[in-house]
Amino acid sequence: MSIDIETAARVAKLARIRVEDDALPALAQEFSNILGFIEQLNEVDVDGVDPMVSVTPMRLKRREDGVTDGNQQAAVLSNAPDAREGFFAVPKVVE
């Protein structure tokens, strides 16, 4: 797939990236190279291949999912600019 200069300029605008006019042909070529690589990856036969999280077979470590209060209220509130009665105090924003 080939990307033209106008498409590269539009992508740059949508991404809010300023690209000078003289750099647009190189950007269009780079986009074309990326899409070409993706097309190559789409040609790979992956039927029967299980998805994996690592190249080495291993089981992820798990922990018990228990709900606690953390027992760190004082440590958390020590960073607050204003804390009252065990809560963060913020300015009133709705009248």
Side-chain angles (χ1 to χ4, degrees), residues 4-31:
D4 59 358
I5 294 173
E6 290 80 23
T7 304
R10 185 164 187 267
V11 169
K13 181 180 179 185
L14 290 172
R16 299 188 188 278
I17 300 171
R18 184 181 348 183
V19 178
E20 301 298 331
D21 291 337
D22 58 336
L24 282 174
L27 181 64
Q29 181 61 42
E30 189 67 28
F31 283 157

Side-chain angles (χ1 to χ4, degrees), residues 69-90:
D69 66 356
N71 296 326
Q72 296 187 11
Q73 181 182 21
V76 171
L77 290 177
S78 68
N79 292 325
D82 187 10
R84 297 181 199 153
E85 300 175 13
F87 297 98
F88 290 102
V90 295

Side-chain angles (χ1 to χ4, degrees), residues 43-55:
E43 294 173 2
V44 175
D45 181 24
V46 294
D47 290 336
V49 177
D50 293 330
M52 50 187 194
V53 295
S54 175
V55 294

